[in-house]
Amino acid sequence: MTTRRQKTALITGITGQDGSYLAEFLLEQGYRVVGMVRRTSTINFDRIRHIQDKIELAQGDLLDQMSLVDILKEYRPNEVYNLAAQSFVPTSWRQPVLTGEFTALGVTRLLEAIRMVDPEIRFYQASSSEMFGKVREVPQNEKTPFYPRSPYGVAKVYGHWITVNYRESYNLFAVSGILFNHESPRRGLEFVTHKITYGAAKIKMGLANELRLGNLEARRDWGYAGDYVRAMWLMLQQDEPDDYVIATGETHSVREFAQLAFDYLGLNYEDYVVVDPAFFRPAEVDLLVGDASKAREKLGWEPQVSFEELVRLMVDADMDALRRGIRYPEHHEATAGSWPTQPEEEVDNA
């Protein structure tokens, strides 16, 4: 009897929200999981600490072409998931060149390394609904034109199209998942969803008396990160490479998110939420909502966790953390050097 050879997956950005959920999922599928991390003193391993003895960590950097080549040669992955990026929109305004280096050119470096070392590797690129920006149609699907409204969105458009280019030019199995907002208790506190649930929990526990937010009318298509990493994997199991929008198809405002979180704790959000113009974007993205019908039909993918369940899941996790005396660092900002996270499409009110 022959046994099937164990597959190896390389995940860049494994310490981020999506990286940690994807690592868990792939371990359940029987994969050998290798996570790429940068040599930096500020890496946060909290999200993967519970599986750290089951995965392998390799040092590499999206700014360093040879480090990528070396990792591919050493670990010989069957699949590569590129989830690393400078992914926080406000930082992309302050550090647009760095954002371009990681979020755009980093994709090219990784694709070129794959082409040089082993063109049979299957590659997943984390594209973003932020690429749609000033939307040309509602809802947005795979054929909707891009109109990015931030340096982050612009960099993601480059990463998306260079992936298509390598697929068509070199016949690589390279796909892009255009993921809409996806959240979880592991979301960074700088993202508005976690800022809301953590802020509401602190108020409930008597640790704060207000929550300052920006544009309450911005609307997003919010799903659960655990559902979305399953879609990433499904894309790399298909016979032919293609790009897919991953979304719930529902849209909710920041106001609705806040109201639901506070209501769940028996509080009236209007008594605590303060609108602060300091948290508005230079160029706002007002409405993002995805049409994932292609993923439904071709991948058999559908979200399992509802918007209401997602908000309650995050509130419960924050309440539990606070009861156990765990306090998150305030005003943390993700950078490519500190939290090399996932394809985040955040409403940056934090």
Side-chain angles (χ1 to χ4, degrees):
M1 184 174 120
T2 59
T3 57
R4 190 180 61 168
R5 177 173 162 265
Q6 183 184 36
K7 282 187 178 180
T8 297
L10 172 67
I11 304 172
T12 74
I14 194 168
T15 60
Q17 171 188 256
D18 289 12
S20 64
Y21 280 110
L22 178 61
E24 285 178 346
F25 177 83
L26 293 176
L27 287 171
E28 290 170 2
Q29 307 305 311
Y31 279 68
R32 174 197 184 201
V33 176
V34 180
M36 190 182 89
V37 295
R38 300 182 68 216
R39 185 187 291 275
T40 169
S41 61
T42 54
I43 290 177
N44 188 321
F45 289 103
D46 287 349
R47 297 185 182 99
I48 59 170
R49 206 171 300 283
H50 63 296
I51 55 170
Q52 211 164 330
D53 60 338
K54 300 176 183 177
I55 62 177
E56 300 171 59
L57 296 178
Q59 289 189 345
D61 196 321
L62 289 178
L63 299 186
D64 182 357
Q65 179 85 38
M66 284 313 299
S67 72
L68 304 176
V69 170
D70 290 344
I71 287 174
L72 295 180
K73 285 182 176 178
E74 180 176 354
Y75 294 95
R76 292 290 173 178
N78 305 94
E79 299 171 359
V80 171
Y81 296 84
N82 184 37
L83 309 187
Q86 190 308 96
S87 55
F88 190 46
V89 170
T91 297
S92 81
W93 289 104
R94 291 190 288 273
Q95 297 180 294
V97 176
L98 181 70
T99 298
E101 285 286 354
F102 277 101
T103 308
L105 291 178
V107 185
T108 312
R109 295 186 189 100
L110 190 48
L111 283 165
E112 185 65 9
I114 288 171
R115 186 182 73 84
M116 292 167 58
V117 175
D118 181 4
E120 294 302 308
I121 292 172
R122 296 193 168 201
F123 174 78
Y124 172 85
Q125 164 61 13
S127 287
S128 165
S129 61
E130 286 287 328
M131 300 188 306
F132 295 122
K134 190 176 181 180
V135 297
R136 318 315 285 165
E137 63 183 7
V138 178
Q140 296 90 53
N141 61 35
E142 293 81 4
K143 295 181 179 178
T144 302
F146 300 137
Y147 195 140
R149 298 272 279 173
S150 68
Y152 169 74
V154 172
K156 279 294 186 182
V157 170
Y158 177 98
H160 178 87
W161 282 117
I162 201 66
T163 301
V164 173
N165 187 257
Y166 267 69
R167 178 170 73 216
E168 296 178 349
S169 301
Y170 301 115
N171 201 32
L172 296 185
F173 196 106
V175 307
S176 285
I178 307 173
L179 272 59
F180 279 65
N181 299 59
H182 47 288
E183 315 297 320
S184 77
R186 299 179 194 173
R187 182 55 123 172
L189 194 59
E190 70 277 11
F191 295 89
V192 71
T193 48
H194 197 184
K195 180 177 179 179
I196 289 171
T197 59
Y198 184 58
K202 284 176 66 180
I203 290 169
K204 180 67 174 179
M205 296 287 286
L207 300 172
N209 53 27
E210 69 172 27
L211 175 62
R212 304 185 81 83
L213 298 173
N215 181 10
L216 297 183
E217 308 313 320
R219 303 183 68 84
R220 291 293 185 275
D221 183 328
W222 275 300
Y224 173 55
D227 287 339
Y228 285 41
V229 300
R230 189 174 74 254
M232 300 176 189
W233 176 76
L234 285 169
M235 290 180 213
L236 293 192
Q237 312 314 308
Q238 304 306 302
D239 292 334
E240 299 294 332
D242 206 350
D243 306 322
Y244 296 88
V245 163
I246 303 300
T248 69
E250 297 179 10
T251 180
H252 300 276
S253 67
V254 173
R255 186 184 300 277
E256 287 177 75
F257 199 107
Q259 183 174 0
L260 197 57
F262 278 84
D263 283 353
Y264 183 50
L265 293 173
L267 303 171
N268 181 359
Y269 82 100
E270 293 178 325
D271 294 337
Y272 304 100
V273 171
V274 178
V275 174
D276 187 339
F279 296 125
F280 280 69
R281 289 184 178 185
E284 183 58 88
V285 174
D286 295 310
L287 173 61
L288 291 173
V289 57
D291 174 6
S293 55
K294 179 178 174 182
R296 227 176 10 251
E297 294 162 11
K298 293 195 174 183
L299 304 179
W301 178 86
E302 287 189 6
Q304 304 297 312
V305 176
S306 71
F307 176 69
E308 291 79 9
E309 289 169 334
L310 171 65
V311 176
R312 291 168 185 168
L313 188 71
M314 294 177 68
V315 170
D316 284 341
D318 285 329
M319 287 294 292
D320 179 63
L322 288 171
R323 289 191 186 106
R324 289 186 290 125
I326 298 173
R327 299 285 292 272
Y328 298 108
E330 300 289 338
H331 307 304
H332 169 79
E333 284 193 2
T335 70
S338 58
W339 289 19
T341 51
Q342 65 293 341
E344 299 81 5
E345 298 73 49
E346 70 288 1
V347 183
D348 50 301
N349 291 7

Coordinates of all heavy atoms in Angstrom, one line a residue, residues 217-291:
E217 N -20.5 56.0 9.0 CA -21.4 55.6 7.9 C -20.7 54.8 6.9 O -21.3 54.3 5.9 CB -22.0 56.9 7.2 CG -22.7 57.9 8.2 CD -23.6 57.2 9.2 OE1 -24.3 56.2 8.8 OE2 -23.6 57.6 10.4
A218 N -19.4 54.6 7.0 CA -18.6 53.8 6.1 C -19.2 52.4 6.2 O -19.5 51.8 7.3 CB -17.1 53.7 6.4
R219 N -19.5 51.7 5.0 CA -20.1 50.4 5.0 C -19.1 49.4 4.4 O -18.4 49.7 3.5 CB -21.4 50.5 4.2 CG -22.4 51.5 4.6 CD -23.7 51.4 3.8 NE -24.4 50.2 4.0 CZ -25.3 50.0 5.1 NH1 -25.5 50.9 5.9 NH2 -25.9 48.8 5.2
R220 N -19.2 48.2 5.0 CA -18.3 47.1 4.6 C -19.0 45.8 4.6 O -20.0 45.6 5.2 CB -17.0 47.0 5.5 CG -16.1 48.2 5.4 CD -15.4 48.2 4.1 NE -14.3 49.3 4.1 CZ -14.6 50.6 3.8 NH1 -15.8 51.0 3.5 NH2 -13.6 51.4 3.8
D221 N -18.4 44.9 3.9 CA -18.9 43.5 3.8 C -18.0 42.7 4.7 O -16.8 42.4 4.4 CB -18.7 43.0 2.3 CG -19.2 41.6 2.1 OD1 -19.1 40.8 3.0 OD2 -19.7 41.3 1.0
W222 N -18.5 42.4 6.0 CA -17.6 41.8 7.0 C -17.9 40.3 7.1 O -19.1 39.9 7.4 CB -17.9 42.5 8.3 CG -17.1 43.7 8.6 CD1 -15.8 43.8 8.6 CD2 -17.6 45.0 8.9 NE1 -15.4 45.1 8.9 CE2 -16.5 45.9 9.1 CE3 -18.9 45.6 9.0 CZ2 -16.7 47.2 9.4 CZ3 -19.0 46.9 9.3 CH2 -17.9 47.7 9.5
G223 N -16.9 39.5 7.1 CA -17.0 38.1 7.3 C -16.1 37.6 8.4 O -15.3 38.4 9.0
Y224 N -16.0 36.3 8.6 CA -15.2 35.7 9.6 C -13.9 35.1 9.0 O -14.0 34.3 8.0 CB -16.0 34.6 10.3 CG -15.2 33.8 11.3 CD1 -14.5 34.4 12.3 CD2 -15.1 32.4 11.2 CE1 -13.7 33.6 13.3 CE2 -14.4 31.6 12.1 CZ -13.7 32.2 13.1 OH -13.0 31.5 14.0
A225 N -12.8 35.5 9.5 CA -11.5 35.1 8.9 C -11.3 33.6 8.8 O -10.8 33.1 7.9 CB -10.3 35.7 9.8
G226 N -11.8 32.8 9.8 CA -11.8 31.4 9.7 C -12.4 30.8 8.5 O -12.0 29.8 8.0
D227 N -13.5 31.4 8.1 CA -14.2 31.0 6.9 C -13.4 31.3 5.6 O -13.3 30.5 4.7 CB -15.6 31.7 6.7 CG -16.6 31.2 7.7 OD1 -16.4 30.0 8.2 OD2 -17.6 31.9 8.0
Y228 N -12.7 32.5 5.6 CA -12.0 32.9 4.4 C -10.7 32.2 4.1 O -10.4 32.1 3.0 CB -11.8 34.5 4.6 CG -13.1 35.3 4.4 CD1 -14.3 34.9 4.9 CD2 -13.0 36.5 3.6 CE1 -15.4 35.6 4.8 CE2 -14.2 37.2 3.5 CZ -15.4 36.8 4.0 OH -16.5 37.5 3.9
V229 N -10.1 31.7 5.1 CA -8.8 30.9 4.8 C -9.2 29.6 4.1 O -8.4 29.1 3.4 CB -8.0 30.7 6.1 CG1 -7.5 32.0 6.7 CG2 -8.7 29.8 7.1
R230 N -10.3 29.1 4.4 CA -10.8 27.9 3.7 C -10.9 28.1 2.2 O -10.5 27.3 1.4 CB -12.1 27.4 4.3 CG -12.6 26.0 3.8 CD -13.8 25.5 4.5 NE -15.0 26.2 4.1 CZ -15.7 27.2 4.7 NH1 -15.2 27.5 5.9 NH2 -16.7 27.7 4.3
A231 N -11.3 29.3 1.9 CA -11.5 29.7 0.4 C -10.1 29.8 -0.2 O -9.9 29.4 -1.4 CB -12.2 31.0 0.3
M232 N -9.1 30.3 0.5 CA -7.7 30.3 0.0 C -7.2 29.0 -0.4 O -6.7 28.8 -1.5 CB -6.8 30.9 1.0 CG -7.1 32.3 1.5 SD -5.9 32.7 2.9 CE -6.6 34.2 3.5
W233 N -7.4 28.0 0.5 CA -7.0 26.6 0.2 C -7.7 26.0 -1.0 O -7.1 25.4 -1.9 CB -7.2 25.8 1.5 CG -6.9 24.3 1.3 CD1 -5.6 23.8 1.2 CD2 -7.8 23.3 1.1 NE1 -5.7 22.4 1.0 CE2 -7.1 22.1 1.0 CE3 -9.2 23.2 1.1 CZ2 -7.7 20.8 0.8 CZ3 -9.8 22.0 1.0 CH2 -9.1 20.8 0.8
L234 N -9.0 26.3 -1.0 CA -9.8 25.7 -2.1 C -9.4 26.2 -3.5 O -9.4 25.5 -4.5 CB -11.3 26.1 -1.9 CG -12.1 25.3 -0.9 CD1 -13.4 25.9 -0.6 CD2 -12.2 23.8 -1.3
M235 N -8.9 27.5 -3.6 CA -8.4 28.0 -4.8 C -7.2 27.2 -5.4 O -7.1 27.1 -6.6 CB -8.1 29.5 -4.6 CG -9.2 30.4 -4.4 SD -8.7 32.1 -4.2 CE -9.9 32.7 -3.1
L236 N -6.4 26.8 -4.5 CA -5.2 26.0 -4.9 C -5.4 24.6 -5.1 O -4.5 23.8 -5.5 CB -4.1 26.2 -3.9 CG -3.5 27.6 -3.7 CD1 -2.2 27.6 -2.9 CD2 -3.2 28.3 -5.1
Q237 N -6.7 24.1 -4.9 CA -7.0 22.7 -5.2 C -7.7 22.5 -6.5 O -8.1 21.4 -6.8 CB -7.9 22.1 -4.0 CG -7.4 22.4 -2.6 CD -5.9 22.2 -2.4 OE1 -5.4 21.1 -2.7 NE2 -5.2 23.2 -1.9
Q238 N -7.9 23.6 -7.2 CA -8.7 23.5 -8.5 C -7.8 23.0 -9.6 O -6.5 23.0 -9.5 CB -9.2 24.9 -8.8 CG -10.1 25.5 -7.8 CD -11.2 24.5 -7.4 OE1 -12.1 24.1 -8.2 NE2 -11.3 24.2 -6.1
D239 N -8.4 22.6 -10.7 CA -7.6 22.1 -11.9 C -7.0 23.2 -12.6 O -5.9 23.1 -13.2 CB -8.6 21.4 -12.9 CG -9.1 20.0 -12.3 OD1 -8.4 19.5 -11.4 OD2 -10.2 19.6 -12.6
E240 N -7.6 24.4 -12.6 CA -7.1 25.6 -13.3 C -7.0 26.8 -12.4 O -7.9 27.0 -11.6 CB -7.9 25.9 -14.5 CG -8.0 24.8 -15.6 CD -6.7 24.6 -16.3 OE1 -5.9 25.5 -16.4 OE2 -6.5 23.4 -16.7
P241 N -5.9 27.6 -12.5 CA -5.8 28.8 -11.7 C -6.8 29.9 -12.1 O -7.0 30.1 -13.3 CB -4.3 29.2 -11.8 CG -4.0 28.7 -13.2 CD -4.8 27.4 -13.4
D242 N -7.3 30.5 -11.1 CA -8.3 31.6 -11.4 C -8.3 32.5 -10.2 O -7.9 32.2 -9.1 CB -9.6 31.1 -11.8 CG -10.4 32.0 -12.7 OD1 -10.0 33.2 -12.9 OD2 -11.5 31.6 -13.2
D243 N -9.0 33.7 -10.4 CA -9.1 34.7 -9.3 C -10.6 34.7 -8.8 O -11.5 34.5 -9.6 CB -8.7 36.1 -9.8 CG -7.3 36.1 -10.4 OD1 -6.4 35.4 -9.8 OD2 -7.1 36.8 -11.4
Y244 N -10.7 34.9 -7.5 CA -12.1 34.8 -6.9 C -12.3 35.9 -5.9 O -11.4 36.2 -5.1 CB -12.3 33.5 -6.2 CG -12.2 32.3 -7.1 CD1 -11.0 31.7 -7.4 CD2 -13.3 31.7 -7.6 CE1 -10.9 30.5 -8.2 CE2 -13.3 30.6 -8.5 CZ -12.1 30.0 -8.7 OH -12.0 28.9 -9.5
V245 N -13.5 36.5 -5.9 CA -14.0 37.4 -4.9 C -14.5 36.5 -3.7 O -15.3 35.6 -4.0 CB -15.1 38.3 -5.4 CG1 -15.9 39.0 -4.2 CG2 -14.5 39.4 -6.3
I246 N -14.1 36.8 -2.5 CA -14.6 36.1 -1.3 C -15.2 37.1 -0.4 O -14.6 38.1 0.0 CB -13.4 35.4 -0.6 CG1 -12.7 34.4 -1.5 CG2 -13.9 34.7 0.6 CD1 -13.5 33.3 -2.1
A247 N -16.5 37.0 -0.2 CA -17.3 38.0 0.5 C -18.6 37.3 1.0 O -19.0 36.2 0.6 CB -17.6 39.2 -0.4
T248 N -19.3 38.0 1.9 CA -20.6 37.5 2.4 C -21.8 38.0 1.5 O -22.8 37.4 1.5 CB -20.9 38.0 3.8 OG1 -21.1 39.4 3.8 CG2 -19.7 37.7 4.7
G249 N -21.6 39.1 0.8 CA -22.7 39.7 0.0 C -23.6 40.6 0.8 O -24.5 41.2 0.3
E250 N -23.3 40.8 2.1 CA -24.0 41.7 3.0 C -23.2 42.9 3.3 O -22.0 42.8 3.4 CB -24.4 41.0 4.3 CG -25.3 39.8 4.2 CD -25.6 39.2 5.6 OE1 -25.2 39.9 6.6 OE2 -26.1 38.1 5.6
T251 N -23.8 44.0 3.5 CA -23.1 45.2 3.8 C -23.6 45.8 5.1 O -24.9 45.8 5.3 CB -23.1 46.3 2.7 OG1 -22.4 47.4 3.1 CG2 -24.5 46.7 2.4
H252 N -22.7 46.3 6.0 CA -23.1 46.8 7.3 C -22.2 48.1 7.5 O -21.1 48.1 7.1 CB -23.0 45.8 8.4 CG -23.8 44.6 8.2 ND1 -25.1 44.5 8.6 CD2 -23.5 43.4 7.7 CE1 -25.6 43.3 8.4 NE2 -24.6 42.6 7.8
S253 N -22.8 49.0 8.3 CA -22.0 50.2 8.6 C -21.2 50.1 9.9 O -21.5 49.2 10.7 CB -22.9 51.4 8.7 OG -23.8 51.3 9.8
V254 N -20.2 50.9 10.0 CA -19.5 51.0 11.3 C -20.5 51.2 12.5 O -20.4 50.7 13.5 CB -18.4 52.1 11.3 CG1 -17.7 52.2 12.6 CG2 -17.4 51.7 10.2
R255 N -21.5 52.1 12.2 CA -22.5 52.4 13.2 C -23.2 51.1 13.6 O -23.4 50.8 14.8 CB -23.5 53.4 12.7 CG -24.5 53.9 13.7 CD -25.5 54.8 13.1 NE -24.9 56.0 12.6 CZ -24.6 57.1 13.3 NH1 -24.8 57.1 14.6 NH2 -24.0 58.1 12.7
E256 N -23.6 50.3 12.6 CA -24.3 49.0 12.9 C -23.4 48.1 13.7 O -23.9 47.4 14.7 CB -24.7 48.3 11.6 CG -25.9 48.9 10.9 CD -26.1 48.2 9.6 OE1 -26.7 47.1 9.6 OE2 -25.7 48.7 8.5
F257 N -22.1 48.0 13.4 CA -21.2 47.2 14.1 C -21.1 47.6 15.6 O -21.2 46.8 16.5 CB -19.8 47.2 13.4 CG -18.9 46.1 13.8 CD1 -18.6 45.1 12.9 CD2 -18.4 46.0 15.1 CE1 -17.8 44.0 13.2 CE2 -17.5 44.9 15.4 CZ -17.3 43.9 14.5
A258 N -21.0 48.9 15.8 CA -20.9 49.4 17.1 C -22.2 49.2 17.9 O -22.2 48.7 19.1 CB -20.6 50.9 17.1
Q259 N -23.3 49.4 17.3 CA -24.6 49.2 17.9 C -24.8 47.8 18.4 O -25.2 47.5 19.5 CB -25.8 49.7 17.0 CG -27.1 49.5 17.7 CD -28.3 50.1 16.8 OE1 -28.0 50.6 15.7 NE2 -29.5 50.0 17.3
L260 N -24.5 46.9 17.5 CA -24.6 45.4 17.8 C -23.7 45.0 19.0 O -24.1 44.3 19.9 CB -24.3 44.6 16.6 CG -24.7 43.2 16.5 CD1 -26.3 43.1 16.7 CD2 -24.4 42.5 15.2
A261 N -22.5 45.5 18.9 CA -21.5 45.2 20.0 C -22.0 45.7 21.4 O -22.0 45.0 22.4 CB -20.1 45.7 19.7
F262 N -22.4 46.9 21.4 CA -22.9 47.5 22.6 C -24.2 46.9 23.1 O -24.4 46.7 24.3 CB -23.0 49.1 22.5 CG -21.7 49.8 22.7 CD1 -20.8 49.9 21.6 CD2 -21.3 50.3 23.9 CE1 -19.6 50.6 21.7 CE2 -20.1 51.0 24.0 CZ -19.2 51.2 23.0
D263 N -25.1 46.7 22.2 CA -26.4 46.1 22.5 C -26.2 44.7 23.2 O -26.8 44.3 24.1 CB -27.3 45.9 21.3 CG -27.9 47.2 20.8 OD1 -27.8 48.2 21.6 OD2 -28.5 47.2 19.7
Y264 N -25.2 43.9 22.6 CA -24.9 42.6 23.2 C -24.5 42.7 24.6 O -24.7 41.7 25.4 CB -23.8 42.0 22.3 CG -23.5 40.5 22.7 CD1 -24.5 39.6 22.8 CD2 -22.2 40.2 22.8 CE1 -24.1 38.3 23.1 CE2 -21.8 38.9 23.1 CZ -22.8 37.9 23.3 OH -22.5 36.6 23.6
L265 N -23.9 43.8 25.0 CA -23.4 44.0 26.4 C -24.4 44.8 27.2 O -24.1 45.1 28.4 CB -22.1 44.7 26.4 CG -20.9 43.9 25.8 CD1 -19.7 44.8 25.7 CD2 -20.6 42.7 26.7
G266 N -25.6 45.0 26.6 CA -26.7 45.7 27.4 C -26.4 47.2 27.5 O -26.8 47.9 28.5
L267 N -25.6 47.8 26.6 CA -25.3 49.2 26.6 C -25.8 49.9 25.3 O -26.1 49.3 24.3 CB -23.8 49.4 26.6 CG -23.0 48.7 27.8 CD1 -21.5 48.8 27.5 CD2 -23.4 49.4 29.1
N268 N -26.1 51.2 25.5 CA -26.5 52.0 24.3 C -25.2 52.7 23.8 O -24.6 53.6 24.4 CB -27.5 53.1 24.8 CG -28.0 54.0 23.7 OD1 -27.6 53.8 22.5 ND2 -28.9 54.9 24.0
Y269 N -24.9 52.4 22.5 CA -23.6 52.9 21.9 C -23.6 54.4 21.9 O -22.6 55.1 22.0 CB -23.4 52.3 20.5 CG -24.2 53.0 19.4 CD1 -23.5 53.9 18.6 CD2 -25.5 52.7 19.2 CE1 -24.2 54.6 17.6 CE2 -26.2 53.4 18.2 CZ -25.5 54.3 17.4 OH -26.2 54.9 16.4
E270 N -24.8 55.0 21.7 CA -24.9 56.5 21.6 C -24.4 57.2 22.9 O -24.0 58.4 22.8 CB -26.3 56.9 21.3 CG -26.7 56.5 19.9 CD -28.2 56.9 19.6 OE1 -29.0 56.8 20.5 OE2 -28.5 57.2 18.4
D271 N -24.4 56.5 24.0 CA -24.0 57.1 25.3 C -22.4 57.1 25.4 O -21.9 57.8 26.2 CB -24.5 56.3 26.4 CG -26.0 56.4 26.6 OD1 -26.6 57.4 26.0 OD2 -26.7 55.5 27.1
Y272 N -21.7 56.4 24.5 CA -20.3 56.2 24.7 C -19.5 56.5 23.4 O -18.3 56.9 23.6 CB -20.0 54.8 25.1 CG -20.7 54.4 26.4 CD1 -21.9 53.6 26.3 CD2 -20.3 54.7 27.6 CE1 -22.6 53.2 27.4 CE2 -21.0 54.4 28.8 CZ -22.1 53.6 28.7 OH -22.8 53.3 29.8
V273 N -20.0 56.4 22.2 CA -19.3 56.6 21.0 C -19.1 58.1 20.7 O -20.2 58.8 20.6 CB -19.9 55.8 19.8 CG1 -19.2 56.2 18.5 CG2 -19.8 54.3 20.1
V274 N -17.9 58.5 20.5 CA -17.7 59.9 20.1 C -17.0 59.9 18.7 O -16.0 59.2 18.5 CB -16.7 60.6 21.1 CG1 -16.4 62.0 20.7 CG2 -17.3 60.5 22.5
V275 N -17.6 60.7 17.8 CA -17.1 60.8 16.4 C -15.9 61.8 16.5 O -16.1 62.9 16.9 CB -18.1 61.2 15.4 CG1 -17.5 61.5 14.1 CG2 -19.2 60.2 15.3
D276 N -14.7 61.3 16.0 CA -13.5 62.1 16.1 C -13.0 62.3 14.6 O -12.6 61.3 14.0 CB -12.5 61.5 17.0 CG -11.2 62.3 17.2 OD1 -11.0 63.2 16.4 OD2 -10.5 62.0 18.2
P277 N -13.0 63.5 14.1 CA -12.5 63.7 12.7 C -11.1 63.2 12.5 O -10.7 63.0 11.4 CB -12.6 65.2 12.5 CG -13.6 65.7 13.5 CD -13.5 64.7 14.7
A278 N -10.3 63.1 13.6 CA -8.9 62.7 13.4 C -8.8 61.3 12.8 O -7.8 60.9 12.3 CB -8.2 62.7 14.8
F279 N -9.9 60.5 12.9 CA -9.9 59.1 12.5 C -10.5 58.9 11.1 O -10.7 57.8 10.6 CB -10.6 58.2 13.5 CG -9.9 58.1 14.8 CD1 -10.6 58.4 16.0 CD2 -8.6 57.8 14.9 CE1 -10.0 58.4 17.2 CE2 -7.9 57.7 16.1 CZ -8.6 58.0 17.3
F280 N -10.8 60.0 10.4 CA -11.3 59.9 9.0 C -10.1 59.8 8.1 O -9.0 60.3 8.3 CB -12.0 61.2 8.6 CG -13.5 61.2 9.1 CD1 -13.7 61.3 10.5 CD2 -14.5 61.1 8.3 CE1 -15.0 61.4 11.0 CE2 -15.8 61.1 8.7 CZ -16.1 61.2 10.1
R281 N -10.3 59.1 7.0 CA -9.3 58.9 5.9 C -9.1 60.1 5.1 O -10.1 60.9 4.9 CB -9.7 57.8 5.0 CG -9.6 56.4 5.5 CD -9.9 55.4 4.4 NE -9.9 54.0 4.9 CZ -10.0 52.9 4.1 NH1 -10.2 53.1 2.8 NH2 -9.9 51.7 4.6
P282 N -7.9 60.4 4.5 CA -7.8 61.4 3.5 C -8.7 61.2 2.3 O -9.3 62.2 1.8 CB -6.3 61.3 3.1 CG -5.6 60.7 4.2 CD -6.7 59.7 4.8
A283 N -8.9 60.0 1.9 CA -9.8 59.7 0.8 C -10.6 58.5 1.2 O -10.0 57.4 1.4 CB -9.1 59.4 -0.5
E284 N -11.9 58.6 1.5 CA -12.7 57.6 2.1 C -13.2 56.6 1.0 O -13.4 56.9 -0.1 CB -13.9 58.2 2.8 CG -14.8 57.2 3.5 CD -14.0 56.4 4.6 OE1 -13.9 56.8 5.7 OE2 -13.5 55.3 4.2
V285 N -13.3 55.3 1.5 CA -13.9 54.3 0.7 C -15.3 54.1 1.4 O -15.3 53.6 2.5 CB -13.1 53.0 0.6 CG1 -13.9 51.9 0.0 CG2 -11.8 53.3 -0.1
D286 N -16.4 54.4 0.8 CA -17.6 54.5 1.5 C -18.4 53.1 1.5 O -19.0 52.8 2.5 CB -18.5 55.6 0.9 CG -17.9 56.9 1.1 OD1 -17.6 57.2 2.3 OD2 -17.8 57.7 0.2
L287 N -18.3 52.4 0.4 CA -19.2 51.2 0.3 C -18.5 50.1 -0.4 O -18.1 50.3 -1.6 CB -20.5 51.5 -0.4 CG -21.4 50.3 -0.7 CD1 -21.8 49.6 0.5 CD2 -22.6 50.8 -1.6
L288 N -18.2 49.0 0.3 CA -17.7 47.8 -0.4 C -18.6 46.7 0.0 O -18.9 46.4 1.1 CB -16.3 47.5 0.2 CG -15.1 48.5 -0.2 CD1 -13.9 48.2 0.5 CD2 -14.9 48.5 -1.7
V289 N -19.0 45.9 -1.0 CA -19.8 44.7 -0.8 C -19.6 43.8 -2.0 O -19.6 44.2 -3.2 CB -21.3 45.1 -0.7 CG1 -21.9 45.8 -1.9 CG2 -22.2 43.8 -0.5
G290 N -19.2 42.6 -1.7 CA -18.8 41.6 -2.7 C -19.8 40.7 -3.2 O -20.7 40.3 -2.5
D291 N -19.6 40.2 -4.5 CA -20.4 39.2 -5.1 C -19.6 38.0 -5.2 O -18.7 37.9 -6.1 CB -20.9 39.7 -6.5 CG -21.6 38.6 -7.3 OD1 -21.9 37.5 -6.7 OD2 -22.0 38.8 -8.4

